[in-house]
Structures are given as structure tokens and as C-alpha cells.
Amino acid sequence: MNRGTTSPALPLPPAAGGRREGDPPGRRSWAAFDGPFGLESGTDLPDVRLAYETWGHLAPDGANAVLVLHALTGDSHAAGPAGPGHPSAGWWDALVGPGRALDTDRWFVVAPNVLGGCQGSTGPSSRRSDGTRWGAAFPRLTVRDQVAAEARLADCLGIGRWAAVIGGSMGGMRALEWAVSRPGRTGSLLVLAAPAASTAEQIAWGSMQIAAIRNDPGWQGGRYHDAPPGSGPHRGLGLARRIAHVTYRSEAELDTRFGRRAQPGELPARGGRYQVESYLDHNADKLVRRFDAGSYVVLTQAMNAHDVGRGRGGTARALRRAGMPALIAGIDSDRLYPPAQQAEAAALLPGADHLRVIESPYGHDGFLIETEQVGALVRELLPPPHRPGPPGTDRRPLPLECP
């Protein structure tokens, strides 16, 4: 294998992964916002739509709505099987459904694809009014912009206040921003493995991934979306994924799983790979087939800019705005967003008592893997709603045109 490319047994990757026009909708619905959408930078997006999925039934008073926010390369498919429109099963499938922690016989669960994403929401791969792709001309976003779009979605759905806002990693950044910027609309809060502000080291990791993508000749200045298969920046995106994935897992787990063992049939001394290299190649190849490099850049920039205290008198003052009941959880083996960052947020949030610690050998990815421990936190946070929604209402709502 030529390192940084895909296996010759597989077809060439698309120039841009992610959802494309004409793909099956799956369980997605869309909300389209009328008029220009103003961004924190002062720039306007002329047209915005968010893809989202729902489970359960919204109570007449809207009191049972829960917002679930995905991480960097996630999407709206938090639960459900793989199938047309959804190449993989839901990323939190063990938590969402009848009788599960987010019991859809009781709660109305909403999971949007983030603004700037590539699974149905407006992002760099979207077309402008003149038919051309946004590409690198797509404006810079912040977490605050993304939350503003999610607030518009809530308005469209008739949800004035969420019973809970829940998110991990990048989704946890947005959950914190919801609590700080819209405390009256955030009934309770669960933040998993996310900081109140990105540190220099975290910005450095993200910047290396952005550079890997932009230095790929296939990036073409961001004008690659309609290139033929194999001609996009998949090598750069694959390298970005390799860098990120090392930060997502713990050193102990990698050493236990792979050690210094060679990939079967390959000799590192003769140009072959170690098992850990094969593992990283595999994860890189999976991502380039389902995700867009332009979205990866835009979303990573937003994560680098994340700081709930910016323009609000600092982190402590900003977090004191959020008085709702809150659970803040860190993962004991997380080296990307170490638990000390979550401990600081838990100490500053008026509605939080103490840091919850998820025990996991898997590092940062533990918030996706340790679903029993996460489920226990969800059940601790969420009391029974005023009245349950009727069972058997797991249907896609109609597309929304929103003022």
C-alpha cells in the first residue's frame, strides 16, 4: 500500500465524502431558514438549512424535548440501523430508543447535523444560488454561529425550552454555549469530554490537521468538490484523521491492542506496516469515504475558536450565567480534553456539584463507547417529563420552511 492512499482492493474515494444530492434521505428531515443568516464575523449566509432527525413524540407543551449534539465527524443519525442514506448505525444507538436512557416513549429527541457539516446541512459542499459550490469561500463559523442555527431549528419545531441539552466533544462545546448564551432555553445540561475554551495544545492539534488537508494538491484551493473520484484531498483528510485518532485513544489502549507487532504478512523492516499503522490507515480510509474535507476544516476552525468567555468577561463570569442543573463529565484516560478541564467547568457552573468521571481505557472516544456509564448520567439528569408522549411515533416530520 502507498501510505496515505486507499487499498487497491477498494474503489477510489470520492473527491468529497459526505452526503450528495440525490442520495437517499434516510431518516433526515430539513429545516430551511428564510432570509440571510447572520454570523458572528459579520458575514451573512444567504441560505441555510439544517438536516435533523427526531425520535419520539413532542408533548403539546413541548416540555419533553431533548437536544443531542454530535462530535466533529458525527451527524444527525444518533440512533437507528444502517441503511439507505445512513452507511453506519447510529453513533449513540445504545442510548436512544424505547426503554433506553433517552427513552423515546417519554422524550422527544432531536439531533441536528451541525451548520458547516456535510450530512445534509449547509456547508462547504453546498451549492450557492448561482449553482456553484461554496468550497473554500464558505465563511468561517464559530460555535456560537452553530448554536444560533440550532436555536432557529428549535423555533421551527416549536420548542421554546429544551428539557436537556446533551453533547460530547464538539457537541459538548455547543452544549456549553447553549447554556451560557441561552440559559432560559436550556432546562438542564450534560457535557461530556469538552472544555469551556480550547487550549493552545488543542488548537495546535487542530491546526496540524487543517494544514494536512490544505497542503494536499487535491485540495485545489478548496475547489475540488466536482472533481472525479480519487482527485480530491483524500490523502490530506486521511492524514488529518490519523493525527486526530491518536489523540482520541489512550496510549495504554494502543499499546495493549497493538504493541510493536507487525501487520500480518508485512515486515516493517522491509517497508511493511506495524499493526497500529494499519489501524490508522483503516480509520482514515473509512472517513474519506463519508466526510468532506472542507467541512473538516470549517468545523475544526470553529473548535479552535471555541471560548465561552470570549467577550463575556472571561470563562468564570460566562459560566456563572448558566444556573440550570448540570452534569459535567470527563474521561479518566482522555488526553485530548483531560478531565482537569471539565473539573474547572464543574466548579464554576452554579448548577453543577462535582465532576463526574467516566472510567475507560479508550481515551477521548470513551464518551461514544462507554454507553452504560453515559446512560447512567442521562438518567441522573433527566426526571420524568410532565407526561409521556404516545408510543410508536418514531416518524420523520415534514420538511420545515422557517421564518
Side-chain angles (χ1 to χ4, degrees):
M1 175 187 290
N2 179 10
R3 192 72 44 77
T5 65
T6 57
S7 166
L10 295 172
L12 291 172
R19 190 176 187 278
R20 293 177 290 276
E21 295 94 339
D23 285 351
R27 295 191 76 262
R28 295 177 188 84
S29 290
W30 281 268
F33 307 150
D34 291 342
F37 183 82
L39 303 176
E40 190 181 1
S41 64
T43 305
D44 287 341
L45 275 172
D47 298 294
V48 167
R49 69 174 190 164
L50 288 189
Y52 67 98
E53 296 180 44
T54 68
W55 299 263
H57 178 82
L58 183 63
D61 61 1
N64 68 335
V66 175
L67 180 64
V68 173
L69 302 173
H70 67 76
L72 171 60
T73 61
D75 57 22
S76 64
H77 197 52
H86 301 297
S88 56
W91 48 271
W92 253 2
D93 190 61
L95 294 179
V96 181
R100 298 175 182 172
L102 285 166
D103 186 347
T104 52
D105 287 341
R106 300 166 58 195
W107 301 105
F108 179 65
V109 179
V110 181
N113 181 218
V114 69
L115 179 65
C118 59
Q119 292 292 345
S121 291
T122 298
S125 61
S126 301
R127 294 190 184 276
R128 294 182 276 193
S129 58
D130 63 2
T132 62
R133 307 275 187 182
W134 274 104
F138 193 79
R140 278 198 179 229
L141 299 177
T142 65
V143 170
R144 298 180 190 186
D145 296 325
Q146 294 163 337
V147 168
E150 290 159 3
R152 288 283 295 273
L153 172 62
D155 294 341
C156 294
L157 294 171
I159 298 167
R161 181 175 183 268
W162 300 101
V165 178
I166 298 173
S169 192
M170 185 184 79
M173 295 178 182
R174 298 186 348 256
L176 270 176
E177 179 60 31
W178 261 99
V180 168
S181 64
R182 293 164 175 80
R185 302 191 70 172
T186 308
S188 62
L189 177 70
L190 175 56
V191 175
L192 302 156
S198 296
T199 65
E201 182 180 42
Q202 290 151 5
I203 294 169
W205 284 119
S207 297
M208 285 189 284
Q209 295 165 51
I210 292 170
I213 293 170
R214 286 179 167 168
N215 286 326
D216 185 334
W219 174 248
Q220 301 177 44
R223 298 178 293 274
Y224 62 87
H225 286 92
D226 294 314
S231 299
H234 60 275
R235 292 176 178 84
L237 179 57
L239 179 56
R241 181 62 165 183
R242 289 173 177 86
I243 295 169
H245 207 76
V246 172
T247 73
Y248 296 160
R249 311 303 280 234
S250 72
E251 179 184 8
E253 187 224 354
L254 293 176
D255 200 51
T256 299
R257 286 181 68 182
F258 305 113
R260 294 185 48 80
R261 293 182 292 277
Q263 180 70 0
E266 300 186 30
L267 295 174
R270 297 183 180 178
R273 296 171 299 171
Y274 292 97
Q275 286 185 10
V276 69
E277 293 178 286
S278 175
Y279 168 72
L280 295 175
D281 288 345
H282 172 69
N283 280 281
D285 188 77
K286 286 198 304 181
L287 185 75
V288 301
R289 296 176 186 280
R290 69 172 182 85
F291 210 81
D292 175 44
S295 281
Y296 198 101
V297 168
V298 165
L299 300 184
T300 301
Q301 287 174 331
M303 294 172 70
N304 283 352
H306 168 62
D307 178 2
V308 296
R310 186 181 68 253
R312 295 168 175 158
T315 300
R317 187 172 180 180
L319 291 178
R320 283 198 293 268
R321 299 181 178 196
M324 71 289 298
L327 295 180
I328 310 298
I331 300 161
D332 60 359
S333 57
D334 190 344
R335 55 181 171 176
L336 178 58
Y337 298 117
Q341 286 187 296
Q342 290 90 57
E344 178 186 20
L348 293 171
L349 281 165
D353 47 11
H354 63 276
L355 175 69
R356 303 308 203 275
V357 177
I358 295 171
E359 297 179 354
S360 176
Y362 300 113
H364 182 65
D365 274 354
F367 82 94
L368 294 170
I369 297 170
E370 305 291 354
T371 51
E372 287 191 13
Q373 294 181 67
V374 174
L377 294 173
V378 172
R379 290 187 173 96
E380 180 183 351
L381 182 74
L382 284 171
H386 296 304
R387 48 187 174 274
T393 57
D394 189 14
R395 300 189 300 266
R396 284 201 304 125
L398 295 174
L400 298 172
E401 296 290 338
C402 307

